[in-house]
Amino acid sequence: MVNSTDLLANLYNAFNPFEPLPAGDPKYVDCQDVRGDADILQELGNRMQLANTNTCQLYSGHLGAGKSTELLRLKKYLENRQFYVVYFEADEKDIDSQDAQYTDILLACTRRLLKDLQEMASPDPILNWLKNRWEDLKDLAQTPIEFESMAVEAQLAQFAKLTANLRAVPELRQQIRQKIDPYTVTLIQVLNEFLADAKKKLPNGKTQLAVIVDNLDRMVLVKEGDRTNYEEVFLDRSEQLQALDCHLIYTVPISMLYSRRITDLRDIYGDPQILPMIMVKTRKGEVYQLGLKKVKEVINKRVRQIAPELSLEKEIFDSPQTLERLCLMSGGHVRNLLLLTQYAIGRTEKLPVSEKAVRRAITQARDTYRRAVENHQWCLLAEVSSSKRIIHDDLYRSLMYNRCLLEYRYFDDEGEMQTWYDIHPLIQGIPEFKEAVAKLS
């Protein structure tokens, strides 16, 4: 058997669970037919092409389900169809997912659009807006320099400094919001002047502008009185969220799509699109071979990039049963699959990856899920494992958000789409869950 530290290190890094695949990556696996026919290119991309006015759409799914990879595919698809696309991850430099509000998102969009489009369009409208606010903001940007004495590049850098402080300096966050919030309408106006200029000067062959704001689905729910930050961003500020003069896609927390406000969202944005899990088991609990094959393919394509000559089921894993167990325990959740595989490889000194290493990876992950469930929620999980349905209630929404409950879709014999829910398979072996199931029977 192969005994190479370099090979193991390369395999380990091939399963990095936190890097979305770029468009066209050979490791990509098309799982549309085992995700209830979910196709971002048709559902979001086609609508953008057909519409004669700007669109604003919402995209959601479980954290780690593969949304960013799909959005990067959409970006490439649109770029091949005369769109200039600005894509960014909102939590990378601008937004703290633990504490996010609308003003943060607007500032993040402004910073990124300035960065990506400044060579096409004059930033003067936005810089003049910032100059008029500078006396109020310069302390929050943590600079003593007078704005007018700065070069344009330095002025642009001050906007980036403000958004960086929003994310990195919690004690300044509320102060920045208080200073900016009364002027968000005028900021949108000058931002649209900037966009109008940019759209006249798009690169050759580009006729439309689109902005994709990823990772807003990672926003943690914060409740103040009867309102939540989700409602503040996607409902209270919906007009402003849609007001940028371009096509827009925002990711949205999946729990909001299972709230009493879903009809309001639909009325404002149209039907939000959800990326479901890869279905590895049927509603009746039987192994779904098509889905299992796709999950194995996700692993196989990453292995093939490193060790194309090695057998997946004999030389990478010690048996087909070990590989299958790993795949089924992921629940069809891509990031969980990559995490489990990476952890099992990390416990391996010599290929093949053993059944024991996979079992350890599963046990470790199961303990994480055990700690994610509050005591009163075990009975809810037991009920869903039996009924395959959820009730639209805050208790269930939190279990959706933390991936203890997963959503699956398929088309029945009449061609109707069916949606069902199940617990994450890692939960099945937890004693508290078993006790809750026993109480149901």
Side-chain angles (χ1 to χ4, degrees):
M1 287 292 131
V2 177
N3 182 14
S4 166
T5 302
D6 288 344
L7 174 59
L8 280 170
N10 290 337
L11 283 171
Y12 181 89
N13 290 299
F15 288 89
N16 185 333
F18 303 110
E19 284 185 2
L21 297 178
D25 193 293
K27 297 188 288 294
Y28 178 76
V29 177
D30 183 357
C31 297
Q32 177 183 339
D33 54 347
V34 290
R35 287 192 192 261
D37 210 27
D39 182 1
I40 193 172
L41 307 184
Q42 287 297 312
E43 291 166 349
L44 275 66
N46 206 36
R47 191 181 301 177
M48 295 167 74
Q49 288 188 88
L50 294 173
N52 57 14
T53 57
N54 289 328
T55 59
C56 181
Q57 302 180 83
L58 302 181
Y59 188 54
S60 192
H62 292 281
L63 298 178
K67 292 184 298 302
S68 295
T69 293
E70 293 300 309
L71 287 168
L72 291 172
R73 285 183 65 229
L74 176 63
K75 177 178 183 287
K76 185 69 173 177
Y77 173 86
L78 292 171
E79 288 170 342
N80 290 335
R81 287 159 180 79
Q82 300 183 308
F83 279 78
Y84 187 91
V85 183
V86 176
Y87 165 94
F88 71 101
E89 297 173 345
D91 62 344
E92 182 183 13
K93 292 186 176 179
D94 304 288
I95 289 174
D96 181 353
S97 295
Q98 301 294 318
D99 175 20
Q101 294 182 13
Y102 167 74
T103 304
D104 312 1
I105 296 168
L106 177 59
L107 287 172
C109 288
T110 305
R111 182 197 68 80
R112 188 57 192 239
L113 288 166
L114 277 169
K115 178 177 182 291
D116 279 33
L117 303 176
Q118 63 177 304
E119 292 184 7
M120 297 179 208
S122 168
D124 287 349
I126 298 170
L127 294 179
N128 287 335
W129 179 94
L130 187 57
K131 180 174 67 176
N132 291 334
R133 316 270 96 74
W134 192 243
E135 279 307 308
D136 286 340
L137 293 173
K138 66 180 181 181
D139 290 342
L140 302 177
Q142 297 182 320
T143 178
I145 306 171
E146 289 305 315
F147 193 77
E148 291 188 25
S149 66
M150 300 178 193
V152 170
E153 285 298 323
Q155 291 178 346
L156 291 169
Q158 293 313 307
F159 213 107
K161 188 74 180 294
L162 271 178
T163 65
N165 285 350
L166 257 178
R167 186 179 189 277
V169 190
E171 57 268 25
L172 292 181
R173 191 174 298 145
Q174 197 56 36
Q175 295 178 58
I176 294 172
R177 288 170 182 160
Q178 286 170 353
K179 298 291 187 184
I180 297 288
D181 200 50
Y183 303 102
T184 53
V185 171
T186 57
L187 177 53
I188 289 170
Q189 288 171 352
V190 297
L191 185 51
N192 279 338
E193 286 180 44
F194 174 70
L195 292 177
D197 189 21
K199 287 197 286 187
K200 294 173 188 173
K201 302 170 185 175
L202 292 174
N204 286 341
K206 304 297 183 184
T207 60
Q208 299 201 67
L209 177 63
V211 175
I212 300 174
V213 186
D214 198 1
N215 290 354
L216 293 180
D217 56 306
R218 297 181 181 180
M219 285 171 53
V220 172
L221 182 71
V222 178
K223 197 165 186 177
E224 292 184 12
D226 293 332
R227 309 294 291 166
T228 68
N229 57 331
Y230 292 0
E231 291 170 306
E232 188 264 341
V233 169
F234 295 102
L235 293 172
D236 300 348
R237 298 296 193 105
S238 61
E239 283 192 23
Q240 292 187 26
L241 207 60
Q242 297 176 92
L244 298 187
D245 188 14
C246 57
H247 291 275
L248 293 159
I249 294 173
Y250 299 101
T251 52
V252 60
I254 190 171
S255 52
M256 193 173 187
L257 304 188
Y258 287 89
S259 73
R260 59 188 173 83
R261 306 307 302 272
I262 179 58
T263 52
D264 298 321
L265 285 174
R266 187 177 187 273
D267 288 344
I268 295 167
Y269 303 98
D271 282 317
Q273 300 302 320
I274 298 176
L275 180 67
M277 296 296 98
I278 299 168
M279 199 169 84
V280 290
K281 285 195 174 182
T282 68
R283 194 167 186 161
K284 295 179 180 178
E286 300 162 348
V287 174
Y288 183 55
Q289 291 297 335
L290 279 177
L292 178 60
K293 184 178 178 182
K294 286 288 186 183
V295 173
K296 287 180 181 178
E297 191 181 345
V298 171
I299 293 178
N300 191 46
K301 283 203 170 184
R302 290 173 185 256
V303 169
R304 294 280 75 81
Q305 298 297 307
I306 307 301
E309 74 286 356
L310 296 183
S311 163
L312 185 65
E313 296 185 338
K314 292 180 181 177
E315 294 171 294
I316 299 296
F317 292 91
D318 64 5
S319 72
Q321 292 77 22
T322 297
L323 174 61
E324 181 169 318
R325 186 178 186 203
L326 178 74
C327 292
L328 291 176
M329 278 296 171
S330 74
H333 183 280
V334 176
R335 184 176 294 161
N336 271 185
L337 177 71
L338 301 181
L339 280 166
L340 286 168
T341 307
Q342 191 179 62
Y343 189 88
I345 293 170
R347 293 196 62 86
T348 299
E349 294 183 1
K350 180 180 177 182
L351 290 177
V353 175
S354 67
E355 187 271 337
K356 181 180 178 182
V358 167
R359 193 168 66 245
R360 286 287 178 87
I362 291 167
T363 301
Q364 178 83 9
R366 180 177 287 139
D367 187 58
T368 299
Y369 273 83
R370 182 186 62 78
R371 286 181 275 122
V373 179
E374 296 180 23
N375 194 49
H376 64 277
Q377 293 177 318
W378 293 111
C379 60
L380 304 179
L381 292 169
E383 289 169 8
V384 175
S385 73
S386 172
S387 69
K388 310 303 182 191
R389 297 192 299 268
I390 66 167
I391 297 169
H392 287 203
D393 176 271
D394 281 342
L395 294 171
Y396 292 86
R397 280 190 283 278
S398 66
L399 290 168
M400 291 282 286
Y401 182 83
N402 66 16
R403 283 91 70 209
C404 291
L405 292 177
L406 303 177
E407 175 179 326
Y408 300 92
R409 294 182 181 182
Y410 67 97
F411 283 85
D412 63 20
D413 294 339
E414 281 74 47
E416 293 290 326
M417 188 175 71
Q418 302 294 332
T419 302
W420 61 284
Y421 306 87
D422 207 349
I423 61 164
H424 196 295
L426 288 167
I427 290 172
Q428 289 174 338
I430 298 174
E432 290 91 335
F433 173 73
K434 292 178 179 178
E435 290 168 11
V437 170
K439 289 176 184 176
L440 277 183
S441 54

